[in-house]
Amino acid sequence: MLLNIKNLHVAINGKEIIKGLNLGVNKGEVHAIMGPNGTGKSTLAAAITGREGYEITQGEIWFKGKNIIGMPAEERANEGIFLSFQYPVEIPGVSMTNFMRTALNAQREYQGLPSVPAGEFLKLMEEKKNLVEIHAKLTNRSVNEGFSGGEKKKNEIFQMAMLQPSLAILDETDSGLDIDALKVVAKGVNELRSDDNAFIVITHYQRLLDFIVPDFVHVLFDGKIVKTGGKNLALELEEKGYEWIKEQYLATSEL
Amino acid sequence: MENIPGTNILDEVTQGDYKFGFYTDIENDTAPRGLTEDTIRFISAKKEEPEWMLASRLKAFRHWLTLKEPEWAHVHYPAINYQNIIYYAAPKKKEYASLDEIDPELLETFNKLGISLDEQKKLTGVAVDAVIDSVSVKTTFQDTLGKHGVIFCSFSEAVRNHPELIQKYMGSVVPYTDNYFAALNSAVFSDGSFCFIPKGVRCPLELSTYFRINAANTGQFERTLIVAEDSSYVSYMEGCTAPMRDENQLHAAIVEIVAMDDAEVKYSTVQNWYPGDKNGLGGVYNFVTKRGLCKGRNSKISWTQVETGSAITWKYPSCVLMGDNSVGEFYSVAVTNHYQQADTGTKMIHIGKNTRSTIISKGISAGKSNNSYRGLVKILPAAANSRNFSQCDSLLLGDRCGAHTFPYIQARNETSIVEHEATTSKISEDQLFYCKQRGIDTEKAIGLIVNGYAKEVLNKLPMEFAVEAQKLLAITLEGSVG
C-alpha cells in the first residue's frame, strides 16, 4: 500500500479536528474526499504533508512503508508527496524557472542524483508547460505573482508534472475555476495518472469528478470517513446533498 | 478553510557561522595605543608624508577634540574609549614591487578571501587594491590602467605622486568638519584607494578594493577618493571582512566621489565586516561617511550596497546633485541578524535644475536585530523640476527583530515632485510551507525568498559581485530560523 493512514487524530491549538480517520491508498488509484465545509478536509492534507502547527495526537501515517509522522515537510515532498494548494502563495522576485529548478534539484539531491543540467531542465519545462497549456511567459514571472485564479491552479499541476510525485493531493483544485480551465487541469491530471502513482482529490463538488474519475469516493464528516463508495456516490451526493449522511452518521453515533 | 495556527518555526535562533573569521599571523608595525597629536605625527612620519598632509591631519584632530560623538542614530552601544584603540597597524614590509615579495601568509589571506592578486591568473578583468589594516599591500593592473591614463593606487601613493589632485579634491565632498567620525578619519586615516579617470575615458576594468582588518585592538580608518573627469565612466567595487574577535573594533571610513560634466560613477559595496557572535559579543562598529558630488551637468552617481556585516552600521551614502540634470541613485540591501544594529540610508540633496534621484532600500531583519532606514531628500529652491522617488521596504523574519523607517523630506521648490513608498512585510508561514512542500528546506527557502525580495537591488551590482552578494545574503541569514 502506498499510503496507509490508521486511526489518525489531528488537533489545532488543542482542538481536535480529525478524530480517528482510516484511509488506504494503493498505486494506480484515485480517491476523492468529499464533505461539507469545516469537516477537516484541508487538515487531512496538512497532516499528510507535514505542515507545522497540526498536532498529531494519535495514529499513524505510513507512506511507502515508512511511518512519516515527525518527518519534515520537505522530506515528505522529496519522498514523493505533492500537494496542489487550494490557495497557492505568491513569492515576489523569485521566477518560476528558478523556483522549479531549486525544487527539482532538491529532489534530485535527496535521491543522490546530480543537479539537472540547464539544457535538459529547460526542455523539461517546455514539455510540461504544454501539458497544462501554460503560457510560455508565465514561467518568467515571479511565483504566482499576478497570476489569475485559473493560472495559479494550472501552475500547481505544472509543478506536479515537473516533480512526478507518487502521491498527489489536490486540495479543492476546482475552486474558482471556470469550466475551460477545469478541463485543462483535469486533462493534465489524467495524463499524469499511471499505475505507479495515486491521487487524493479533495473537493466539495462532484463537477471535478466528471473529468477526473475516481475509483473511490469517501465522505468526511466530523473528522472521520463516514461513508465510502464508488464514483456513483459522488453523483448521489450531488443530487441529495450532505444532510442525509449527517443524519445517518448522527443516528448511528447516538446508539 | 481552517485557521492556520500560530506556529513557532520562525522562533528559534541558532548559530550562523561567519566564514571569514580567521586571523593571519604576520609581523606588524603598530602605533602605541591611544590618540594624541603624537599619534598623528607618528602615522604621518610612518607614511613619509609631506608637511601639508600632516598640517591637514592636525587641523582635523583639533577640530575633533571639540566635537561630541553623535547620539541621534537608532543604535545602542557602550561608550567607545578612543584612547584604547591602536590607530596604525601595518604588515612590517610596506610596499611590494611584485607578488614574489609579498609575505606568503598575506597572500594566503587573500586567497582565503577568494581574492586573487595574481594578474596572470586573473580572468575576470577586475583591478584590485588590497588594503590590510592600515596599508595598501598591492594594487593590480596598474600598467593596463596607466595606458588609458587612469590612476588607481593606494591613497598614500597618491599623496606622494599626485599631491596636486589630492590637495584639490580631498575633503572637497566630505570636509573634516562634516561630522565626528569624518573629523576622526581626517586626522588618523592610514590608507585607502585613489582613483582618477581622465576626461573622455571609459575605465576598461572594474576597479575594486578589498579591505581587511587583521590586527587586534586596531581601528581601521581608510579613505577612498574617486574623481571622474568630463564624460568619463568608472565602476568601482568595495569589499571588506575582519577576523572574529570578542572585542569591538572601530571602522570609520570616508569615501568621496566627484563627477564632472557627463561623468558617471557606479560605486558598489559588499560590506561583510565581522558582525559579532550570536550573543552580540564582538563585531565591527562601522561608522562611515560616503558622499558623492555630482558637480557637472548630466553627471550621475550611483550607490549600490549590500550590508550584511558589522555589529553596528551607521552610514548614509549620499549624493549632492549640484550640476543641472544630474542623477543620484541609491540601491541598498541591509541585512541584520542576531544582535546586529543598522542605521543606514541616504541623503539626496537637489541643488541643480532637473536633477533626479532614486532611492530603493530593502531592509531585512532577523533574530533580535534592529534595522533602520534613515533618509533625507532635500530639494533646494533653485532645483526646478527636480524629482525624487523613494521606496523603502522592510522584511521581518521572526517576531523579536525591529524595522524602522525615518524618512525626512524637505522640498523648497514648487515644481519638484517627491514620491515616497514604504512597505513592511514578513516572510509568511505560507510561503515557507509552499517551498518546503516542493522539497526545498527552510534555509534554502529563506535564501530564495530573501534574494527574490532584494532582486531589484542585486540586479544593480556588477556580475562579479552579484553572485557573491546572493551567497552572502543566504549565509548571513543561515540559522535565523529554526
Side-chain angles (χ1 to χ4, degrees), chain A residues 213-251:
Chain A
V213 182
D215 301 301
F216 301 95
V217 174
H218 309 278
V219 181
L220 192 60
F221 183 71
D222 194 28
K224 291 191 197 70
I225 288 175
V226 296
K227 198 169 183 63
T228 294
K231 62 182 176 189
N232 291 333
L233 178 58
L235 293 169
E236 204 178 342
L237 289 167
E238 180 77 0
E239 204 179 301
K240 305 205 303 205
Y242 289 106
E243 266 324 296
W244 63 283
I245 299 233
K246 261 189 225 178
E247 280 163 21
Q248 226 176 43
Y249 169 70
L250 294 173

Side-chain angles (χ1 to χ4, degrees), chain A residues 60-209:
Chain A
E60 294 163 12
I61 304 176
W62 293 83
F63 181 70
K64 290 182 179 169
K66 287 183 197 167
N67 188 349
I68 58 170
I69 289 174
M71 187 188 271
E74 65 271 23
E75 273 181 43
R76 299 186 198 200
N78 287 326
E79 283 284 344
I81 299 176
F82 181 91
L83 174 64
S84 167
F85 284 77
Q86 184 178 6
Y87 304 107
V89 290
E90 302 185 353
I91 310 180
V94 179
S95 73
M96 264 316 294
T97 309
N98 186 13
F99 181 71
M100 229 39 261
R101 197 171 49 207
T102 309
L104 194 62
N105 283 336
Q107 190 188 68
R108 291 176 64 100
E109 193 185 323
Y110 187 80
Q111 293 164 346
L113 297 170
S115 296
V116 58
E120 209 175 290
F121 173 76
L122 291 174
K123 224 164 81 187
L124 191 68
M125 289 267 290
E126 264 333 291
E127 188 190 315
K128 303 301 182 189
K129 270 193 284 193
N130 292 333
L131 185 73
V132 283
E133 298 173 21
I134 271 191
H135 201 275
K137 278 185 189 157
L138 222 53
T139 46
N140 293 330
R141 303 225 309 255
S142 298
V143 178
N144 293 318
E145 200 179 34
F147 287 27
S148 71
E151 283 169 341
K152 281 184 183 169
K153 295 299 172 76
K154 282 187 199 175
N155 189 27
E156 294 292 293
I157 304 304
F158 161 70
Q159 293 176 50
M160 181 170 89
M162 289 292 291
L163 296 170
Q164 303 275 354
S166 31
L167 175 68
I169 303 165
L170 312 184
D171 190 4
E172 309 260 356
T173 296
D174 49 340
S175 69
L177 283 191
D178 60 36
I179 192 75
D180 293 330
L182 189 72
K183 280 180 181 167
V184 172
V185 164
K187 190 186 116 218
V189 171
N190 286 328
E191 282 185 36
L192 294 169
R193 273 177 87 159
S194 80
D195 291 342
D196 265 336
N197 60 26
F199 290 80
I200 294 175
V201 181
I202 294 172
T203 182
H204 217 66
Y205 305 104
Q206 187 267 337
R207 192 175 69 151
L208 178 66
L209 305 179

Side-chain angles (χ1 to χ4, degrees), chain A residues 12 40 42-43 49 51-54 74 77-78 81-83 85 87 89-90 93-94 103 106 144 156 159, chain B residues 1-5 7-9 429-431 433-441 444 448-449 452-453 455:
Chain A
I12 303 176
S42 290
T43 302
T49 51
R51 180 151 197 166
E52 299 211 0
Y54 292 78
E74 65 271 23
N78 287 326
I81 299 176
F82 181 91
L83 174 64
F85 284 77
Y87 304 107
V89 290
E90 302 185 353
V94 179
N144 293 318
E156 294 292 293
Q159 293 176 50
Chain B
M1 201 176 129
E2 292 95 3
N3 286 333
I4 299 297
T7 55
N8 64 353
I9 185 170
E429 291 295 336
D430 287 347
Q431 285 173 328
F433 181 64
Y434 193 78
C435 294
K436 290 207 276 189
Q437 213 302 305
R438 299 301 183 246
I440 302 165
D441 66 36
K444 278 206 195 92
L448 202 64
I449 295 167
Y453 164 80
K455 197 176 184 178

Side-chain angles (χ1 to χ4, degrees), chain B residues 98-157:
Chain B
S98 80
L99 282 173
D100 303 338
E101 291 180 30
I102 297 185
D103 185 335
E105 281 276 341
L106 205 54
L107 272 183
E108 185 52 32
T109 300
F110 283 99
N111 285 337
K112 275 191 208 166
L113 298 173
I115 305 156
S116 168
L117 296 177
D118 191 338
E119 296 183 32
Q120 301 305 317
K121 288 185 197 156
K122 199 82 181 146
L123 298 168
T124 48
V126 180
V128 178
D129 184 18
V131 176
I132 191 156
D133 292 329
S134 305
V135 295
S136 165
V137 290
K138 176 75 186 165
T139 309
T140 62
F141 281 111
Q142 273 180 318
D143 293 348
T144 318
L145 294 169
K147 277 179 209 143
H148 292 83
V150 173
I151 302 169
F152 180 45
C153 63
S154 72
F155 207 90
S156 313
E157 263 177 82

Side-chain angles (χ1 to χ4, degrees), chain B residues 69-369:
Chain B
E69 200 172 326
E71 286 169 354
W72 46 262
H74 190 78
V75 294
H76 305 280
Y77 54 93
I80 298 172
N81 181 354
Y82 290 90
Q83 296 307 332
N84 198 32
I85 294 173
I86 295 169
Y87 287 84
Y88 181 87
K92 267 258 161 81
K93 191 168 174 3
K94 279 190 305 189
E95 300 207 349
Y96 308 89
S98 80
L99 282 173
D100 303 338
E101 291 180 30
I102 297 185
D103 185 335
E105 281 276 341
L106 205 54
L107 272 183
E108 185 52 32
T109 300
F110 283 99
N111 285 337
K112 275 191 208 166
L113 298 173
I115 305 156
S116 168
L117 296 177
D118 191 338
E119 296 183 32
Q120 301 305 317
K121 288 185 197 156
K122 199 82 181 146
L123 298 168
T124 48
V126 180
V128 178
D129 184 18
V131 176
I132 191 156
D133 292 329
S134 305
V135 295
S136 165
V137 290
K138 176 75 186 165
T139 309
T140 62
F141 281 111
Q142 273 180 318
D143 293 348
T144 318
L145 294 169
K147 277 179 209 143
H148 292 83
V150 173
I151 302 169
F152 180 45
C153 63
S154 72
F155 207 90
S156 313
E157 263 177 82
V159 168
R160 281 195 305 274
N161 302 337
H162 309 282
E164 70 298 339
L165 289 172
I166 297 295
Q167 278 177 291
K168 183 170 175 190
Y169 291 109
M170 188 184 78
S172 70
V173 186
V174 182
Y176 69 90
T177 50
D178 194 80
N179 67 69
Y180 187 81
F181 298 109
L184 179 63
N185 175 290
S186 303
V188 302
F189 78 90
S190 34
D191 217 329
S193 302
F194 173 66
C195 161
F196 178 84
I197 319 293
K199 193 170 172 173
V201 171
R202 199 180 159 85
C203 187
L205 297 168
E206 299 264 359
L207 302 185
S208 167
T209 301
Y210 270 87
F211 295 105
R212 171 83 181 163
I213 297 179
N214 189 50
N217 305 311
T218 315
Q220 176 136 333
F221 307 91
E222 82 271 357
R223 271 193 101 99
T224 302
L225 174 59
I226 300 171
V227 179
E229 285 204 316
D230 293 356
S231 307
S232 66
Y233 168 84
V234 64
S235 166
Y236 186 94
M237 310 185 281
E238 167 197 72
C240 27
T241 56
M244 288 157 85
R245 292 187 194 290
D246 289 348
E247 82 270 13
N248 295 107
Q249 285 186 288
L250 178 63
H251 170 252
I254 289 180
V255 177
E256 296 178 280
I257 301 174
V258 182
M260 310 304 277
D261 288 357
D262 303 298
E264 180 178 349
V265 179
K266 257 187 88 151
Y267 194 103
S268 311
T269 304
V270 173
Q271 186 267 105
N272 188 25
W273 294 118
Y274 178 53
D277 71 7
K278 63 175 176 176
N279 300 313
L281 186 66
V284 171
Y285 291 163
N286 189 34
F287 300 151
V288 171
T289 307
K290 290 182 166 179
R291 194 173 304 152
L293 175 61
C294 283
K295 198 167 183 181
R297 293 172 61 86
N298 311 317
S299 58
K300 178 175 174 181
I301 292 176
S302 178
W303 298 100
T304 305
Q305 61 173 18
V306 176
E307 301 282 316
T308 60
S310 299
I312 300 176
T313 295
W314 178 99
K315 96 180 223 200
Y316 315 90
S318 307
C319 296
V320 180
L321 304 171
M322 201 164 151
D324 290 348
N325 316 319
S326 60
V327 177
E329 293 175 338
F330 175 74
Y331 301 100
S332 169
V333 178
V335 190
T336 51
N337 194 4
H338 303 310
Y339 284 88
Q340 279 178 280
Q341 306 175 64
D343 193 301
T344 183
T346 184
K347 288 191 276 186
M348 293 291 173
I349 316 292
H350 292 253
I351 300 171
K353 292 186 189 66
N354 309 315
T355 46
R356 281 174 294 141
S357 63
T358 304
I359 299 170
I360 308 282
S361 163
K362 304 265 181 182
I364 301 164
S365 335
K368 293 175 182 163
S369 67

